[in-house]
Amino acid sequence: MKMGFRWYGEGNDTVTLDHVRQIPGVETIVWSLHHKQAGEVWEQAEIDAEVARITGLSDEARAKGVTRTFDAEVVESVNVHESIKLGRTVLGLSRDEAIENYITTIRRLGRAGVKVVCYNFMPVFDWLRTDLWHPLPDGSTALYYEKAVVDQMSPESLIADMEANTHGLTLPGWEPERLASFSELNAAYQGVTHDDMYANYRYFLEAVIPTCEEYDVKLGVHPDDPPFDVFGWPRVVSTKKGLARVLDLHPSPHHGLTLCLGSFSANPEQDAVDAVRTFMDRIHFTHVRNIKHFDNGDFTEVAHRASEGSVDTTGIMRAYAEADYQGYVRPDHGRHLWDENTTNKPRPGYGLYDRALGIQYLLGAWDAFRYQG
């Protein structure tokens, strides 16, 4: 297992690589070219420059005696254009054009040494919360989902609320360019069924997987967040049955999962540990985080320790350890701790401290189970 840390890039993250360097156990920086829009080709020069930035050391760091470096083997995400999900031209790009651009990007990432690409197949929004800074009883804040608000809120009002509460940092899946096209996308999804989405998904995989195999880049699809339909849009990577159906769309081992246990567990009826054990051989990358459910359908994100919430994070790490999991893992959304809300003002869910604490908890559980006896 290789521990990773998601980083949004120089000048685009309140956390620096030097901060991450001091977290024991982190080997991989999970990165992306966040200025690229879905459907755009990633240029080889900009890929290589970002990989060099992640894997290298500055002269200043070397002068201080720093020797620790990272690899850049995981990208999160290369976003799938809506024309691919819809199976037709939308936002000025045809499905086949968007797929060809995706193939080119995969080829270039493979040349740069990338081993896993995380992506999702969610319509319009990549994820959804109603409060980005919800207060917790310990004085920290975290992402929160309030069911009654979503039931009564229009997508347009949710967009406005998200844009006003991000500390000026863009959120993945909520980029201004994407949101500016919301009306067109909302209309395009009218009448689209789950079966339509699965058929379009199969078309995408059949086109891109040969290149993934040639360049040894594994694709890992992220579960829907939250794992159920929202605003009438069909989501197809939500349930255990849905994940199995997605994996059945193509037999290649290069087609697999980024199994985000927090997203999957947002449905309280779903068993995260069972999902890990069931899909182990197709999990290329995994996000481990904790949420706490409430009886009214709300949920909040909490600390990674199992007893803090409703997700058995300890059992998850036991399942991975007992299988000697060889993929990549990272802590997912953390709380905003100590002075982060008033000074650093991080991207919601992506502060430094709670993710660092989460890494130590996850690695402690891994070590305890991996080396017991």
Side-chain angles (χ1 to χ4, degrees), residues 78-80 98-106 117 119 204 208:
V78 179
N79 290 322
V80 176
I99 287 176
E100 187 56 40
N101 289 348
Y102 206 95
I103 289 170
T104 299
T105 296
I106 292 295
V117 168
Y119 70 103
F204 167 69
V208 302

Side-chain angles (χ1 to χ4, degrees), residues 277-331:
R277 295 190 185 280
T278 299
F279 300 116
M280 182 69 72
D281 63 343
R282 300 288 287 275
I283 302 172
H284 302 320
F285 181 28
T286 185
H287 301 167
V288 183
R289 62 179 166 89
N290 202 352
I291 60 173
K292 181 177 178 62
H293 288 288
F294 300 98
D295 292 340
N296 62 358
D298 296 354
F299 63 84
T300 187
E301 300 186 4
V302 293
H304 286 74
R305 188 183 183 201
S307 60
E308 294 290 317
S310 307
V311 181
D312 185 5
T313 50
T314 305
I316 288 166
M317 296 312 295
R318 176 195 277 275
Y320 280 127
E322 290 177 348
D324 191 20
Y325 176 63
Q326 295 297 303
Y328 300 84
V329 61
R330 72 166 176 85

Side-chain angles (χ1 to χ4, degrees), residues 31-223:
W31 63 281
S32 186
L33 297 181
H34 290 281
H35 63 284
K36 307 297 279 190
Q37 301 305 305
E40 285 188 304
V41 171
W42 293 21
E43 300 301 332
Q44 191 72 60
E46 55 188 352
I47 292 170
D48 293 344
E50 192 69 1
V51 169
R53 183 176 293 111
I54 290 167
T55 60
L57 282 172
S58 67
D59 292 340
E60 181 182 4
R62 292 182 190 279
K64 293 177 179 178
V66 175
T67 59
R68 185 178 178 202
T69 58
F70 301 112
D71 68 54
E73 294 176 352
V74 180
V75 167
E76 183 181 344
S77 303
V78 179
N79 290 322
V80 176
H81 195 264
E82 300 296 329
S83 63
I84 296 173
K85 302 171 195 174
L86 287 162
R88 63 181 179 83
T89 299
V90 66
L91 304 180
L93 195 64
S94 74
R95 167 170 65 174
D96 289 341
E97 289 174 317
I99 287 176
E100 187 56 40
N101 289 348
Y102 206 95
I103 289 170
T104 299
T105 296
I106 292 295
R107 184 181 301 120
R108 291 172 176 172
L109 289 171
R111 288 173 180 156
V114 170
K115 300 301 182 185
V116 173
V117 168
C118 168
Y119 70 103
N120 72 74
F121 217 74
M122 288 179 256
V124 190
F125 297 153
D126 284 8
W127 55 277
L128 190 153
R129 298 291 186 275
T130 57
D131 188 348
L132 304 180
W133 312 100
H134 187 76
L136 297 179
D138 60 9
S140 65
T141 66
L143 301 172
Y144 191 91
Y145 179 93
E146 187 172 356
K147 183 179 182 299
V149 169
V150 175
D151 289 345
Q152 298 171 14
M153 182 179 271
S154 69
E156 291 84 356
S157 59
L158 181 62
I159 290 171
D161 187 65
M162 293 286 277
E163 289 181 321
N165 288 283
T166 63
H167 286 166
L169 296 165
T170 58
L171 296 176
W174 294 81
E175 300 84 359
E177 295 84 357
R178 180 194 303 225
L179 300 182
S181 305
F182 170 74
S183 295
E184 181 180 349
L185 289 177
N186 190 35
Y189 275 100
Q190 299 303 309
V192 176
T193 68
H194 294 84
D195 285 341
D196 293 333
M197 291 285 286
Y198 283 118
N200 295 334
Y201 200 164
R202 184 190 298 277
Y203 186 96
F204 167 69
L205 292 171
E206 290 176 348
V208 302
I209 289 299
T211 300
C212 294
E213 293 174 334
E214 181 181 357
Y215 288 86
D216 195 23
V217 176
K218 293 181 171 67
L219 291 184
V221 64
H222 189 290

